[in-house]
Amino acid sequence: MSQPSILIINGPNLNMLGVREPGVYGHDTLKSVEERCKALGAELNAHVTCFQSNHEGAIVDAIQAAHGVQDFIIINAGAYTHTSVAIRDALLSVSIPFIEVHISNVHAREEFRHHSFLSDKAVGVIVGFGTDGYEFALRKAVRLTAS
Ligand code: DQA
């Protein structure tokens, strides 16, 4: 594949990064995370598109719109991770491989964060490495799409 297209999706409240519970999520803003990922994408010869929404249906729409356009999805669905059959179904409907990312170690937090509707269908899951997790996921996504 010449230049893979990779979509990074962030769900609800991730637009509040930098302001939101910095002890849990750190000080980086979403804009800085997205810029870092775009720069890394350019370095790795991948086309990176970023999308964020606080709305479940808008995330479903973005996943559906990725069909035939994107080669790989990196998704932090935020709280919808733990609740959304619709986002799971959307990911399955487009058959685009995806990596699930969480900034915090969800397994060291409240029990309701331990279950994910996405993990069993993900290529892999990256949790607890802060916002570096997006870059780890991107490197792996590029390797997988190139092979
Ligand atoms: C999160 C973990 C979720 O439980 C939470 O609802 C979020 C962020 C994370 O990146 O650590 O919004 O996905």
Side-chain angles (χ1 to χ4, degrees), residues 11-14 20 24-25 76-82 101-106 109 112-113 128 134:
N13 299 307
L14 290 158
R20 176 189 187 196
V24 177
Y25 298 110
N76 182 350
Y80 288 141
T81 305
H82 319 298
V101 172
H102 297 287
I103 298 165
S104 64
N105 180 356
V106 285
R109 300 181 63 194
F112 63 83
R113 296 186 204 274
Y134 292 95

Side-chain angles (χ1 to χ4, degrees), residues 38-113:
K38 285 188 175 172
L40 180 62
E43 203 182 291
L44 300 175
N45 193 32
H47 185 257
V48 173
T49 304
C50 299
F51 174 82
Q52 188 276 330
S53 178
N54 292 323
H55 305 278
E56 187 175 20
I59 296 169
V60 169
D61 287 344
I63 294 168
Q64 290 182 3
H67 183 58
V69 177
Q70 303 288 347
D71 301 302
F72 207 100
I73 292 175
I74 294 167
I75 183 164
N76 182 350
Y80 288 141
T81 305
H82 319 298
T83 62
S84 181
V85 177
I87 292 175
R88 174 192 177 90
D89 285 351
L91 287 163
L92 294 179
S93 73
V94 295
S95 301
I96 299 173
F98 70 93
I99 293 175
E100 176 182 350
V101 172
H102 297 287
I103 298 165
S104 64
N105 180 356
V106 285
H107 301 291
R109 300 181 63 194
E110 302 96 323
E111 186 138 10
F112 63 83
R113 296 186 204 274

